[in-house]
Amino acid sequence: MASDRRHIRRSRQISPRARGSFLRLLRVPVPTFVDSISAPFVLQLGFFTYYTVAMGEVNPSGPVPIDSVFIYRPDKRLELWRFAFYMFLHAGWLHLLFNLGVQVVVGLPLEMVHGSLRIAAVYMAGVLAGSLGTSVFDTDVYLVGASGGVYALLAAHLANVLLNYNNMEFGIVRLIGIFVIASADVGFAIYDRYAAEQMGPPVSYVAHLTGALAGLTIGLLVLKNFEQRLHEQLLWWVALGVYAACTIFAIMYNLMHPDYP
């Protein structure tokens, strides 16, 4: 009987190897998207609800809160917070739903692999690039929406594939899916700008393109590279140079042309 009890006690003990495996499992980082994905999600939804109630209407493409202190306006460029805070406003529920959906579907997988801080850097770089690019190339429009950040996330997937293609499955399929989503949205933005009846100030689509450029370059800079090669180090420096040059040019352009439009 005593030997049976000793056998039972030994069988209940966890071996050192199993204990080590369990502790390693506990140290695996749990994906947290509170900072870079869910925080903008909640704020954008809250701002849209507030302005919908305040303006007393809602439709797929409006209303645009033109008088908001957060909207980017070319005649109020000295109010620097507008270059970032415009991302909380949207031109209608269709615009809002697309941006929220892409942020979750595209941003969450990136964040699970690369972490919140890296994806937050990509997202905010796209937001700032969207407003800076619009201030240079589309100088007479107002800007709302998180499309700069959203397209930065889309382009960051391309950066991820370029950096880690040999370590991922279905890389080409991912790129095709991203291309389809981006093409559809850019096409709609161009149609809404030039073909659809304008119900208010024109809304820029340049933010989509400059946000994507920021997402690609910053993605190459900050995303994890699990198997770095020599040519990828060169790519890192090229990305840094492109982003820095574009950002400095946009800032200098605004400083040298304070009176437009």
Side-chain angles (χ1 to χ4, degrees), residues 11 25 31-32 36 38 42 86 109 115 130 142 156 170 176 183 206 213 248:
S11 65
L25 179 62
T32 58
S36 61
S38 69
V42 172
Y86 76 92
Y142 293 13
F170 309 112
I176 293 174
S183 299
V206 172
L213 178 61
I248 293 172

Side-chain angles (χ1 to χ4, degrees), residues 129-152:
S131 54
L132 286 172
T134 299
S135 71
V136 174
F137 298 108
D138 212 359
T139 59
D140 61 341
V141 302
Y142 293 13
L143 187 61
V144 296
S147 294
V150 166
Y151 272 75

Side-chain angles (χ1 to χ4, degrees), residues 40-254:
F41 185 103
V42 172
L43 288 171
Q44 288 161 14
L45 187 60
F47 272 76
F48 182 79
T49 302
Y50 169 79
Y51 281 106
T52 297
V53 173
M55 302 180 74
E57 62 175 312
V58 60
N59 58 68
S61 58
V64 179
I66 298 173
D67 297 324
S68 171
V69 296
F70 300 109
I71 190 173
Y72 170 80
R73 293 176 51 160
D75 58 334
K76 295 185 179 294
R77 288 178 298 117
L78 295 181
E79 298 175 356
L80 299 181
W81 66 84
R82 293 178 183 266
F83 281 87
F85 280 72
Y86 76 92
M87 71 176 183
F88 296 126
L89 308 178
H90 287 81
W93 59 262
L94 185 61
H95 188 204
L96 174 72
L97 290 181
F98 176 83
N99 281 345
L100 294 182
V102 174
Q103 283 174 189
V104 173
V105 173
V106 176
L108 182 56
L110 282 173
E111 192 164 29
M112 293 174 66
V113 176
H114 299 280
S116 297
L117 292 179
R118 288 182 172 88
I119 302 308
V122 170
Y123 187 85
M124 288 308 303
V127 169
L128 293 174
S131 54
L132 286 172
T134 299
S135 71
V136 174
F137 298 108
D138 212 359
T139 59
D140 61 341
V141 302
Y142 293 13
L143 187 61
V144 296
S147 294
V150 166
Y151 272 75
L153 295 177
L154 288 168
H157 270 279
L158 174 58
N160 187 35
V161 171
L162 291 175
L163 293 175
N164 301 299
Y165 181 80
N166 293 329
N167 298 307
M168 65 173 53
E169 296 181 355
F170 309 112
I172 297 298
V173 175
R174 296 185 188 187
L175 290 182
I176 293 174
I178 291 169
F179 178 78
V180 170
I181 295 173
S183 299
D185 187 58
V186 170
F188 176 79
I190 294 175
Y191 168 81
D192 187 64
R193 173 69 184 275
Y194 295 109
E197 181 181 356
Q198 293 292 330
M199 302 301 294
V203 178
S204 175
Y205 63 88
V206 172
H208 299 70
L209 305 179
T210 53
L213 178 61
L216 176 60
T217 53
I218 296 299
L220 291 172
L221 291 175
V222 303
L223 296 184
K224 295 178 181 178
N225 188 345
F226 296 102
E227 190 177 343
Q228 191 174 63
R229 295 179 174 84
L230 181 61
H231 73 276
E232 292 170 344
Q233 297 178 9
L234 176 62
L235 195 62
W236 190 93
W237 285 105
V238 171
L240 176 61
V242 170
Y243 183 80
C246 292
T247 302
I248 293 172
F249 171 78
I251 293 174
M252 294 302 297
Y253 184 91
N254 279 274

